[in-house]
Amino acid sequence: ADVGIKPLKDGINPLRPGLKYMINAGSVGQPRDRDIRAGYLVWDDQAGRLEVRRVMYDHKKAAGRIRKAGLPMKYARVVCPDI
């Protein structure tokens, strides 16, 4: 079986009929792509597409809570690189 790895782009990602997909949406609040916005997916099985959406949130406040909880500073910097 052919296997391909393709990063999702923001916006609409068409899905080809008859194929199986394993999709990792990642996690909100610990971005690995350096985009500080929260990301999530909307899957429309009728239209055969996956939409990647991103929204702003108070990432500075989230970083402050991470620090207040006593977690390592590196986790706060992932959320808010300018602290």
Side-chain angles (χ1 to χ4, degrees):
D2 289 332
V3 177
I5 298 173
K6 178 182 161 188
L8 294 171
K9 64 182 185 351
D10 287 359
I12 304 295
N13 292 269
L15 303 176
R16 292 183 19 207
L19 296 180
K20 293 181 181 180
Y21 293 85
M22 179 185 296
I23 299 167
N24 180 351
S27 65
V28 173
Q30 285 291 307
R32 299 300 186 252
D33 61 0
R34 294 187 168 85
D35 188 329
I36 60 171
R37 297 174 296 164
Y40 65 98
L41 304 175
V42 177
W43 174 41
D44 184 338
D45 61 338
Q46 298 295 316
R49 68 184 194 185
L50 186 70
E51 183 176 359
V52 177
R53 295 182 180 176
R54 296 189 184 254
V55 294
M56 287 302 298
Y57 71 104
D58 191 342
H59 62 282
K60 290 182 180 181
K61 184 175 181 180
R65 288 182 175 179
I66 290 169
R67 294 177 68 193
K68 186 176 180 180
L71 296 169
M73 186 65 168
K74 67 180 182 179
Y75 297 128
R77 283 196 182 109
V78 168
V79 172
C80 186
D82 57 339
I83 62 166

